[in-house]
Amino acid sequence: MDRSIPFCDAADPFPKSPNFVVPAGACDTHAHVFGPQCRYDYTPNRSYTPPDAPVGSYLHLHQQLGIERGVLVQPSIYGTDNQLQLDALNHLRSLGKEYRGVAVVDADVSEAELDRLSDGGHCGVRMNLLFKGGIEWRDVAALADRMAARNWHLQFLVDVSEFEQLEERIRALPVPVVIDHMGHMSTAKGLEHPGFQALLRLLADGEAWVKLSGAYRVTTEQHPPYSDVTSFAQALVEANVEQCVWGSDWPHPHFSIPMPNDGDLLDLLARWVPDEAVRNRILVDNPARLYGF
């Protein structure tokens, strides 16, 4: 194994229950499953190596948090091999649960493979511009029309402060666009940064959705409640609450500060959005509309 590829910490195995009432039908729109490596190979061209995070642990997390729906997102370490995610979704759906997937594919992916992914519960494609092994922008033009024909969406893992012409490119796409982790921009760059302001405009105009997730990826602090993130999350909600969804980002791979507890992460949403009716739209109504629950 390549020792130059960093290993990730495991998620906290004892997730707390949140300190607010989670509504029926609440959805975690962003999580991953990993391993076992003996069955599902990692791509050699990757930025990290995670510990196993099996579907049973994922279900336990949701039971503790009171989450009834979820979206699994293909992580970069598997490249375009979506088999683990297909197997996990098949298991979850066999239990009668409402779960969807976001895949990673090549630009020349066959219609038969897209059909297989669709039949397996997928409804979007992820574009990774941060980590090795993800899809590249040049692939999007070839895929966009095909995704639109299937009523799929495109999901971006991107730092909005560092990607040139992101706003213009997103506005030109014929599919809904979802931005991971509040734009993945450090709070140290400030609310007025042009990249974040561009994200707010896209959100306000209904040109993009945003995931209120990954606070520990953008904070300058070490532990929840990551108070420097609050104004950023609230600015996104104020721009267009109808286009905001929440995600845990479990099991939290590849970041540099101490591992948070998932109950504390869900409690951040109540801190950012104290109005219960508005919060319930973010947890239930908006993801139902985006993912077709």
Side-chain angles (χ1 to χ4, degrees):
M1 182 176 292
D2 188 346
R3 298 295 179 183
S4 68
I5 300 174
F7 286 88
C8 299
D9 291 337
D12 188 330
F14 305 108
K16 305 173 187 175
S17 296
N19 290 324
F20 67 94
V21 177
V22 176
C27 182
D28 173 2
T29 69
H30 194 105
H32 317 285
V33 287
F34 296 119
Q37 188 175 5
C38 62
R39 182 171 178 181
Y40 302 99
D41 290 335
Y42 303 142
T43 177
N45 179 35
R46 66 186 187 276
S47 296
Y48 63 89
T49 298
D52 285 355
V55 68
S57 297
Y58 175 53
L59 272 177
H60 171 69
L61 168 75
H62 283 179
Q63 289 164 357
Q64 288 299 109
L65 296 182
I67 298 293
E68 295 180 358
R69 296 167 172 166
V71 180
L72 285 173
V73 177
Q74 172 79 347
S76 61
I77 64 163
Y78 292 116
T80 59
D81 182 356
N82 296 277
Q83 191 58 54
L84 169 56
Q85 193 155 277
L86 280 165
D87 290 347
L89 287 171
N90 181 62
H91 175 70
L92 291 164
R93 297 166 87 197
S94 75
L95 299 175
K97 298 183 179 295
E98 292 188 282
Y99 283 77
R100 301 282 190 271
V102 175
V104 172
V105 300
D106 291 318
D108 59 353
V109 61
S110 69
E111 290 298 312
E113 177 64 8
L114 291 176
D115 286 343
R116 186 173 82 101
L117 291 168
S118 181
D119 291 343
H122 289 80
C123 58
V125 166
R126 188 188 203 196
M127 179 181 177
N128 185 333
L129 296 175
L130 286 181
F131 303 138
K132 297 174 182 177
I135 194 169
E136 297 183 14
W137 185 278
R138 65 175 177 267
D139 297 325
V140 175
L143 286 168
D145 289 339
R146 298 169 70 189
M147 289 189 288
R150 291 174 175 268
N151 294 316
W152 282 22
H153 67 270
L154 179 67
Q155 179 174 319
F156 287 87
L157 176 59
V158 61
D159 182 335
V160 296
S161 70
E162 296 185 353
F163 199 90
E164 295 181 0
Q165 299 181 312
L166 183 66
E167 183 177 3
E168 295 86 346
R169 290 182 174 189
I170 287 178
R171 289 184 184 275
L173 293 173
V175 291
V177 170
V178 182
I179 305 294
D180 284 357
H181 307 327
M182 296 182 281
H184 214 290
M185 184 192 83
S186 171
T187 59
K189 296 183 178 181
L191 282 168
E192 298 305 316
H193 190 283
F196 191 74
Q197 289 298 310
L199 177 57
L200 292 178
R201 288 192 297 271
L202 288 166
L203 198 60
D205 293 344
E207 296 287 346
W209 294 72
V210 70
K211 292 188 178 183
L212 303 176
S213 61
Y216 50 84
R217 299 188 184 279
V218 300
T219 186
T220 61
E221 301 176 6
Q222 292 290 303
H223 303 282
Y226 312 127
S227 58
D228 58 329
V229 179
T230 299
S231 60
F232 288 80
Q234 290 180 338
L236 292 166
V237 173
E238 289 168 8
N240 190 346
V241 65
E242 301 295 336
Q243 300 282 111
C244 293
V245 293
W246 176 82
S248 67
D249 193 29
W250 185 88
H252 321 296
H254 196 52
F255 71 105
S256 59
I257 64 175
M259 181 65 67
N261 187 279
D262 283 275
D264 291 334
L265 292 179
L266 184 49
D267 281 338
L268 292 180
L269 183 62
R271 179 184 180 92
W272 300 336
V273 187
D275 185 299
E276 181 181 10
V278 175
R279 191 168 63 239
N280 290 354
R281 284 153 69 187
I282 293 169
L283 285 170
V284 182
D285 302 332
N286 295 352
R289 184 160 42 94
L290 175 60
Y291 297 103
F293 291 117

